Amino acid sequence: MPKAADHNPSGTHPKRRKTGTAMKTPTRTEKVHEALRQAIIEQQLSPGARLPEDMIGDSFGTSRTIAREALLRLSVEGLVDLMPNRGAFVANPTLDEGRDIFVVRRGLERMVVLQLAGNLNATQITELRRMLDDEEMAGARDEREAIRLAGEFHLRLAEMTGNKLLVRYLTETVSRCSLVLTIYGRPHSVDCGIDEHRQIIEALIAGQGDKAADLMDHHIEQVAGRALLESRKPKSVQDVLSSYASRLSQG
Amino acid sequence: MPKAADHNPSGTHPKRRKTGTAMKTPTRTEKVHEALRQAIIEQQLSPGARLPEDMIGDSFGTSRTIAREALLRLSVEGLVDLMPNRGAFVANPTLDEGRDIFVVRRGLERMVVLQLAGNLNATQITELRRMLDDEEMAGARDEREAIRLAGEFHLRLAEMTGNKLLVRYLTETVSRCSLVLTIYGRPHSVDCGIDEHRQIIEALIAGQGDKAADLMDHHIEQVAGRALLESRKPKSVQDVLSSYASRLSQG
DNA sequence: TATAAGCAGATTGCATGCAATATTGACATG
DNA sequence: CATGTCAATATTGCATGCAATCTGCTTATA
């Protein structure tokens, strides 16, 4: 193995100890998976971009096996399109698919707040309030951070239900929503209104499940609307070309 | 390649033609994936059973690579638990996890009917009605078939929304629900009441979204209740042992 | 006898090699 | 000049081999 000898570039300890603390997964596969995931969500990899196994393997100093596995996972999450015998591409959802994703997200978020209403304990309430304050502070100065915190708010809410499956689905969906926003959204409107978050929390604390659900529905609708209804950017090469083609035939 | 020479036991044509019909995936990986999936859902593989890569590879006449990929996919779907350096096991959800799964399913089904209400076209309506009739016929004689048809009904409904993501999530969730039922459910009560299905359809046709949603909620609640509330079977080794452990410390 | 260390077997993690398939450009042909 | 065929190249699909890790048994030691 001439190549595997020195692929621990980060310098951190990659192995999982057998101590009882159950450290995170040590496998290179997981690391690559997470790295790619981040790269896609943070728009370092544009939708539609090709992702050859070799290239990924070389980039991370691993073999294609690892890259392949990471791509497979990402494809299940919907962040990567895997075409048989063709290769992998950063997902490039159509506008309609984007709408579908937002629809599902809305439904999931609704489940979250319905379960949470009236069931928050004191610790959770203080944590959420602190998150809101953080959001507010960041909102003024660091836009990028504000977006991150806003996303985290939704995820944290889901975690508080204790429902693993719900968390997984919402995580996936939120990721895909960011992807959709990078394609069809305006540059970077802070997608979440902090006031809306605050209202939702208050409704949850007051045990007003239906109200919280409606607020959340409205909130997500808002985000989706801003991005998907206004923007008329065509997205895929096909769309672009078809619009050019129609222009040609008219002229 | 001494072994790969003769692994087309089915005799069917394994290759995908390049004709425009876009045949299903031809890859062996997909086939193994689907086969394992069926085996788990149909209880041919009991929850908690070990799934060594070698064994699977041998069974299907492929290498570990394929088995590995299939297992990875299944683990993402939640039908298989993958333990690092330990191997794969048929998922063995706890009772609480089972409840969580049903909660999510209820929410997803609710989304489906809310979207469908008043939006069914004539073709879809006749198809659904025909499915109901089939269910009713099968219900009397072939229990196994009745269960299959009942499951298909829910999935077909989801497909009619045209929302791919919703379909994927519901498919996954329904699979996991059957798994949960095999662990905690009684032998084989036909889990879906046909009358309930019929009522839902009628509400959908009438455009009564809220009513359909409530019916569906009730319907799933019913299934979950029958299985999860009554049965007091302890489930995992951990649960068993923890109950024994507490007994110890008390005595 | 009970506990700990050490060894052997089984199984996964990962890398690599070869065959199969898709895409691109060259070339021939109407 | 347009179109169809074919070879060259790039990339995936899959199998296999070796090292790392886990499990259980055996053996040494108090």
Side-chain angles (χ1 to χ4, degrees):
Chain A
M1 55 162 140
K3 188 179 177 183
D6 62 335
H7 55 23
N8 188 8
S10 69
T12 65
H13 219 306
K15 302 284 177 197
R16 150 175 99 271
R17 296 266 77 104
K18 21 185 134 173
T19 67
T21 57
M23 287 180 67
K24 291 284 292 288
T25 62
T27 66
R28 281 165 270 215
T29 297
E30 276 292 332
K31 283 194 173 180
V32 173
H33 173 211
E34 199 51 36
L36 279 177
R37 191 184 143 74
Q38 282 300 340
I40 292 174
I41 293 177
E42 294 178 3
Q43 314 191 32
Q44 300 305 103
L45 293 170
S46 348
R50 225 160 160 255
L51 297 172
E53 298 174 357
D54 274 333
M55 193 197 77
I56 296 171
D58 290 347
S59 301
F60 289 96
T62 71
S63 78
R64 284 175 46 215
T65 307
I66 302 273
R68 202 180 164 75
E69 213 173 301
L71 288 172
L72 182 63
R73 288 177 133 104
L74 288 168
S75 85
V76 178
E77 290 174 41
L79 291 180
V80 158
D81 285 341
L82 226 46
M83 276 138 108
N85 279 319
R86 296 281 326 282
F89 305 81
V90 177
N92 195 2
T94 66
L95 191 54
D96 279 340
E97 286 167 345
R99 277 193 256 265
D100 285 350
I101 293 168
F102 269 99
V103 165
V104 173
R105 172 165 175 185
R106 250 178 52 206
L108 292 171
E109 300 262 22
R110 189 183 181 89
M111 291 190 221
V112 170
V113 293
L114 281 178
Q115 269 189 77
L116 250 33
N119 293 326
L120 291 173
N121 62 37
T123 314
Q124 292 172 324
I125 291 176
T126 54
E127 180 185 350
L128 288 172
R129 288 222 163 102
R130 192 175 44 68
M131 288 184 82
L132 289 175
D133 293 342
D134 288 351
E135 273 188 68
E136 206 152 285
M137 293 228 302
R141 47 177 180 76
D142 188 347
E143 185 179 88
R144 195 179 174 80
E145 178 74 356
I147 293 176
R148 200 185 60 76
L149 286 173
E152 203 154 297
F153 172 82
H154 286 270
L155 258 16
R156 196 76 194 83
L157 229 40
E159 283 169 4
M160 287 181 179
T161 65
N163 189 326
K164 288 273 188 63
L165 183 58
L166 194 46
V167 171
R168 189 166 82 68
Y169 283 170
L170 194 69
T171 305
E172 246 183 65
T173 310
V174 169
S175 300
R176 297 180 72 171
C177 281
S178 356
L179 190 64
V180 171
L181 289 178
T182 75
I183 305 176
Y184 303 103
R186 267 104 34 94
H188 258 150
S189 56
V190 174
D191 304 308
C192 283
I194 297 173
D195 279 344
E196 295 172 351
H197 283 189
R198 207 173 281 281
Q199 282 183 291
I200 292 169
I201 293 299
E202 295 312 321
L204 286 182
I205 295 173
Q208 302 168 316
D210 287 334
K211 182 179 176 190
D214 288 343
L215 282 169
M216 181 60 92
D217 248 47
H218 182 73
H219 176 52
I220 302 294
E221 181 82 24
Q222 194 91 336
V223 177
R226 264 180 276 185
L228 302 181
L229 298 182
E230 299 176 10
S231 88
R232 282 286 168 257
K233 267 193 260 180
K235 55 96 220 173
S236 75
V237 179
Q238 280 198 5
D239 282 5
V240 176
L241 293 188
S242 72
S243 88
Y244 274 74
S246 63
R247 212 176 301 176
L248 267 186
S249 59
Q250 284 167 11
Chain B
M1 53 163 144
K3 186 180 177 184
D6 61 335
H7 56 22
N8 188 9
S10 72
T12 66
H13 220 305
K15 303 283 180 196
R16 150 175 98 271
R17 296 266 77 105
K18 25 185 135 172
T19 65
T21 58
M23 287 181 66
K24 292 285 292 289
T25 61
T27 66
R28 282 165 270 217
T29 296
E30 277 292 333
K31 283 193 172 180
V32 173
H33 174 210
E34 199 51 38
L36 279 177
R37 190 186 143 73
Q38 282 301 338
I40 293 174
I41 293 177
E42 294 178 2
Q43 314 190 34
Q44 300 307 104
L45 294 170
S46 345
R50 228 163 156 254
L51 298 172
E53 298 174 357
D54 274 335
M55 193 197 77
I56 297 171
D58 290 347
S59 300
F60 289 97
T62 71
S63 80
R64 284 175 45 219
T65 307
I66 303 273
R68 201 180 165 75
E69 213 174 300
L71 288 173
L72 182 62
R73 288 177 134 104
L74 289 168
S75 85
V76 178
E77 289 174 42
L79 290 181
V80 158
D81 285 341
L82 226 46
M83 275 138 110
N85 278 319
R86 296 281 327 283
F89 305 81
V90 178
N92 195 2
T94 66
L95 190 54
D96 280 341
E97 286 168 345
R99 276 193 256 266
D100 285 349
I101 293 168
F102 268 99
V103 166
V104 172
R105 173 166 174 184
R106 249 177 53 206
L108 291 171
E109 301 262 22
R110 190 182 180 88
M111 290 190 221
V112 169
V113 293
L114 281 178
Q115 268 189 77
L116 249 35
N119 293 325
L120 292 173
N121 63 37
T123 314
Q124 292 171 323
I125 291 176
T126 54
E127 180 184 351
L128 289 172
R129 287 221 164 104
R130 193 175 42 69
M131 288 183 82
L132 289 176
D133 292 342
D134 289 350
E135 273 188 69
E136 206 152 286
M137 292 228 301
R141 45 177 181 77
D142 189 347
E143 187 178 87
R144 196 179 173 79
E145 178 74 356
I147 292 176
R148 200 186 59 76
L149 286 174
E152 203 153 298
F153 172 82
H154 286 269
L155 259 15
R156 196 73 195 85
L157 228 42
E159 282 168 5
M160 287 182 178
T161 66
N163 188 326
K164 288 273 189 63
L165 184 58
L166 194 47
V167 172
R168 190 166 80 71
Y169 282 170
L170 194 68
T171 305
E172 245 182 66
T173 310
V174 168
S175 301
R176 296 179 73 171
C177 281
S178 358
L179 190 64
V180 171
L181 289 178
T182 74
I183 305 179
Y184 304 103
R186 267 108 33 94
H188 257 149
S189 57
V190 173
D191 305 308
C192 283
I194 298 173
D195 279 344
E196 295 172 353
H197 282 189
R198 206 173 282 282
Q199 282 183 292
I200 291 169
I201 294 299
E202 294 312 320
L204 286 181
I205 295 172
Q208 301 167 317
D210 287 332
K211 181 179 176 190
D214 288 343
L215 283 169
M216 181 61 92
D217 248 48
H218 182 73
H219 176 52
I220 302 293
E221 180 82 25
Q222 194 92 336
V223 177
R226 263 180 277 186
L228 303 182
L229 298 182
E230 298 176 11
S231 88
R232 281 287 166 257
K233 265 193 262 179
K235 56 93 219 171
S236 78
V237 180
Q238 277 198 7
D239 280 7
V240 176
L241 293 189
S242 72
S243 86
Y244 275 75
S246 62
R247 212 174 303 176
L248 269 187
S249 58
Q250 286 167 11

